[in-house]
């Protein structure tokens, strides 16, 4: 039996660790036009209450602007570490180009990227054109802001490297770390490639 995107979001949001359930919901909004209010309406009409608190947490945060799992998980790690919330997919206009950046704190002059490596694959003619374009793009972004931060998936799952990069860039912590929510990242061990347990700091 095939379930609808709406039902899939509701079902997975109940049972996945919160960051990954949110990733499913973000993707559904982005790819299938699912609306958060529709998910909420479906959930409110169900008698099955398992995972309802996680679903409500998810529905308060779902955003179609996150374009990958890495961006969604980064976003909640930023929240759980207590940093002020970023703007998503800000368009930076400079040097005749328009470059979108994953995260931005305009008042702080900080731009940041959650790195996915697919964009660095070789193109058909074997040249590193994608890498050159990304390097030129990052150089433009760095020239247009006070501080620039970049991290990858493992930095996000380890938490401490991502937090260190944001602190070094000047992003302010507004709240204490939410250790309970950060610990939920440990419940998805398949997401860690080279360490058994992430060294949270």
């Amino acid at each position: 039996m095939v379930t609808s995107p709406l039902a899939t979001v509701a079902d997975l949001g109940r049972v996945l660790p919160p960051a990954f359930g949110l990733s499913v919901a973000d993707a559904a909004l982005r790819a299938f036009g699912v609306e958060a209010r529709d998910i909420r309406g479906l959930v409110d009409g169900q008698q099955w209450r398992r995972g309802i608190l996680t679903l409500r947490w998810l529905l308060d945060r779902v955003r179609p602007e996150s374009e990958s799992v890495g961006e969604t998980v980064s976003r909640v790690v930023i929240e759980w570490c207590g940093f002020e919330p970023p703007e998503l997919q800000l368009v930076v206009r400079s040097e005749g180009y328009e470059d979108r950046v994953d995260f931005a704190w305009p008042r702080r002059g900080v731009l940041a990227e959650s790195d996915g490596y697919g964009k660095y694959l070789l193109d058909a003619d074997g040249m590193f054109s994608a890498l050159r374009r990304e390097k030129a793009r990052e150089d433009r972004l760095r020239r247009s802001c006070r501080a620039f931060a970049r991290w990858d998936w493992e930095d996000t799952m380890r938490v401490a490297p991502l937090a260190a990069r944001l602190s070094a860039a000047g992003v302010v912590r507004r709240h204490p770390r939410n250790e309970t929510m950060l610990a939920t990242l440990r419940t998805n061990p398949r997401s860690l490639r080279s360490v058994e347990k992430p060294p949270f700091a």
Side-chain angles (χ1 to χ4, degrees), residues 79-144:
E79 175 188 339
W80 295 341
C81 284
F83 290 104
E84 55 190 337
E87 292 187 22
L88 305 182
Q89 303 300 329
L90 180 73
V91 175
V92 179
R93 296 176 175 85
S94 67
E95 303 175 23
Y97 290 86
E98 293 187 355
D99 299 306
R100 277 189 306 122
V101 66
D102 298 337
F103 305 100
W105 291 262
R107 290 178 54 215
R108 307 286 176 190
V110 177
L111 304 176
E113 292 270 281
S114 170
D115 215 355
Y117 294 109
K119 60 189 172 188
Y120 299 125
L121 295 177
L122 292 174
D123 56 15
D125 62 4
M127 300 297 290
F128 286 92
S129 58
L131 180 59
R132 288 197 299 268
R133 287 194 302 271
E134 180 59 22
K135 175 60 176 170
R137 173 181 173 275
E138 181 173 323
D139 287 344
R140 287 193 302 273
L141 289 170
R142 286 183 182 277
R143 288 191 292 270
S144 67

